Amino acid sequence: MIVTCRQMQDIEARAFERGVSAADLMEKAGCGIAREVWRLFPQPGTLILYLGSGNNGGDALVAGRELQKLGWQIQVRLSGPLEKLKPLPRGHFDALTDFAVSASPIDVADLPRPVVQLDGLLGIGAVGEMRPDIRALAAEMNALRLEQHAHTVAMDIPSGLNGDTGEPSVDCVIADLTVTVAHGKSGLIADAAVSHVGRLALVPLAELTVEDDGGPQLLTPELLSGFLPRRRFDFHKGQAGRVGIIAGSRGFIGAAVLACGGALRAGAGLVTLLVKEEVYELLAAKVPPEIMVKVVKDYRDVLDMRFDALAIGPGLGFESEDEILNVIQYASMPAVVDADAITMVARTPVSVFLTSTPPRLLTPHPGEMARLVGDGSSHPRLTQAESWAQAFPGNTLLLKGARTVIATESSPTFFNTTGHPGMATGGMGDVLTGVCAALAGQGIPLHQAAGIGAWACGRAAEIAALSQAQLSVLPTDVIAHLGAAFGELE
Ligand SMILES: NC(=O)C1=CN([C@@H]2O[C@H](COP(=O)(O)OP(=O)(O)OC[C@H]3O[C@@H](n4cnc5c(N)ncnc54)[C@H](OP(=O)(O)O)[C@@H]3O)[C@@H](O)[C@H]2O)[C@@H](O)CC1
Ligand SMILES: [K+]
């Protein structure tokens, strides 16, 4: 569930009336934040706590205390006199040991790396524009990030971001990771906020659980693990899904290989790559040994084959457009439609979709989405995805981007939380297509399959970046780390 700041404060106030302790909540929030920092930064370095006067700074202090136990060295920047700290953060400040308060910007050149700065300046208690003292510290954090490669983690919301609208004010903190507490805040998923929020994580607080409103949801491991079926001990490959992949053409061999790799690592029982004669030799030599490669004269031959799910599109080209459109329209099993196949759908009368009974998952990037919705592409991403889903009930749309959004009519819209800018490399989408098809082949509904797929690919890319720079992460690295990502959902 996504809430406004006011709704969050009301939920909190009602919990306090029931006797829930604010100190307890801060303890849980701070420990949860520390866990999320550890997930992305498992090697300890230097932690700089930027503290405002409110409870947002308390979260940073508790997280700092926990990370200190793992070996992080702590430095503190205060926005004003200590006496201004609210009682809860003041208590945590007084209890902290072995740290230095710096009265001026910190030179991190000789400090242990990584340098991570916790933004505890302002949370949901912020009113109006940032005041000069806070704004100066926010600007300092951004400069440290930009000029000295420090990483920024926002407590609850990035300071200076309107928690309801997502509008960033001047000098709004640019976070690499925002760990939000109890519930996602509406401003965090606004298009304008994406580059200030960065990677998202949610620390659920059982005491602040409320009845779900059916609205958008953040993709979290807690939510997604419920979508992954447990396998019986006597499970066999026929039950794990027979996936057919229609991909690859001359000059676009790699896309097919990547889709196959994604499908394998997402647990498909049998993966068959269906290709035309001209690329058979090349692809048969290039795909992993677990893949069967089958030559088809006409892609429509697939309509008579037994598959549990199809993936259609990566590296396909446009030579067999009529055949592909027929497969999308008539195949009796769920299908993931990607890349060139989306462009084909976009230039076809929409009735093709309305008449196709089995569900389809379309996974456009913004350029392909613009082809699908025309003028609609100027609308907010959430509106684009939900409008398309309303127009084509039963089908699912996954709109790629730094904040991938997934919509299906009558289902809560999902916002992905994982991933990093190093994923801006050709081929990432091909992996995702294979992953989603494999999950669909295991009987997972396309909406959930898309959610698991987006989260797992992003998380795999994060794990791949633990041992190398983000910008060096390749789609093949994502495939190699999918197993670790899925492991976090079990
Ligand atoms: N939700 C939950 O369940 C839980 C929430 N928790 C955490 O608490 C956070 C909310 O804490 P909060 O209410 O103390 O407010 P917070 O955001 O720290 O800032 C308020 C302070 O900032 C000041 N100030 C205000 N506007 C300003 C401005 N424009 N420019 C400059 N200063 C400004 C204002 O000072 P004043 O105006 O009073 O002098 C006030 O003292 C929440 O985001 C989460 O992190 C968890 O610990 C536990 C569970
Ligand atoms: K903050």
Side-chain angles (χ1 to χ4, degrees), residues 29 136 158 179 196 198 204 241 250 359 399 439:
V179 190
H196 288 272
R250 285 183 87 81
L399 177 52
L439 296 168

Side-chain angles (χ1 to χ4, degrees), residues 228-265:
L228 268 183
R230 293 297 309 265
R231 293 182 172 188
R232 282 168 55 106
F233 193 69
D234 61 358
F235 200 74
H236 61 78
K237 65 176 184 267
Q239 295 167 303
R242 292 155 303 190
V243 176
I245 298 185
I246 301 176
S249 59
R250 285 183 87 81
F252 298 100
I253 296 298
V257 180
L258 293 170
C260 288
L264 286 176
R265 288 291 174 192

